[in-house]
Amino acid sequence: QVQLVESGGGLVQAGGSLRLSCAPSGRTFSRFGMGWFRQQPGKEREFVAGISWDHERTYYADFVKGRFTISRDNANNTVYLQMNRLKPEDTAVYYCAADGSGVGGFRTVYDYWGQGTQVTVSS
């Protein structure tokens, strides 16, 4: 059974940092594009960042450019989202997702999803 397990969420003050991790299990995801999404209360889930299977391409939503960085360690089958200069409006449940096409882009159809991890930024 394929699972994506997110970790690293929590409560942080505005201006602080968190690093989210996503550890797929059940298969190797080195050929998958990987993405991070978030869902804020009362809103639809939205794309945050993505990375291609070969690290060559990264994609970011405008509202996180310059603050968040996505990376991956294929040897350890882990994807990260480093979040710096966090704002209260970044408060959301963050989801990891895997894209079998390898692209990891914002228009990609993702095949697998994690359960999410809560990030809360206090003002």
Side-chain angles (χ1 to χ4, degrees), residues 6 20 36-40 45-46 48 63-64 67-68 81 83 86-87 89-96 114-121:
E6 303 97 336
L20 305 183
W36 286 98
F37 291 74
R38 72 185 188 187
Q39 188 165 20
Q40 299 166 314
R45 189 161 53 190
E46 61 184 352
V48 175
F63 52 79
V64 301
R67 299 190 298 125
F68 291 10
L81 184 68
M83 306 186 295
L86 282 160
K87 305 175 182 180
E89 51 264 44
D90 293 319
T91 295
V93 177
Y94 283 72
Y95 298 89
C96 173
Q115 294 299 306
T117 185
Q118 177 70 47
V119 171
T120 303
V121 185

Side-chain angles (χ1 to χ4, degrees), residues 62-83:
D62 287 343
F63 52 79
V64 301
K65 282 182 180 177
R67 299 190 298 125
F68 291 10
T69 303
I70 188 170
S71 61
R72 65 189 297 162
D73 180 350
N74 284 347
N76 291 309
N77 218 29
T78 304
V79 179
Y80 303 99
L81 184 68
Q82 178 67 43
M83 306 186 295

Side-chain angles (χ1 to χ4, degrees), residues 4-53:
L4 301 179
V5 180
E6 303 97 336
S7 61
L11 174 64
V12 64
Q13 287 188 330
S17 299
L18 283 174
R19 189 177 78 159
L20 305 183
S21 298
C22 173
S25 64
R27 63 174 298 166
T28 299
F29 279 76
S30 60
R31 293 289 184 173
F32 279 68
M34 300 298 293
W36 286 98
F37 291 74
R38 72 185 188 187
Q39 188 165 20
Q40 299 166 314
K43 295 186 177 181
E44 293 188 351
R45 189 161 53 190
E46 61 184 352
F47 176 83
V48 175
I51 186 167
S52 61
W53 71 274

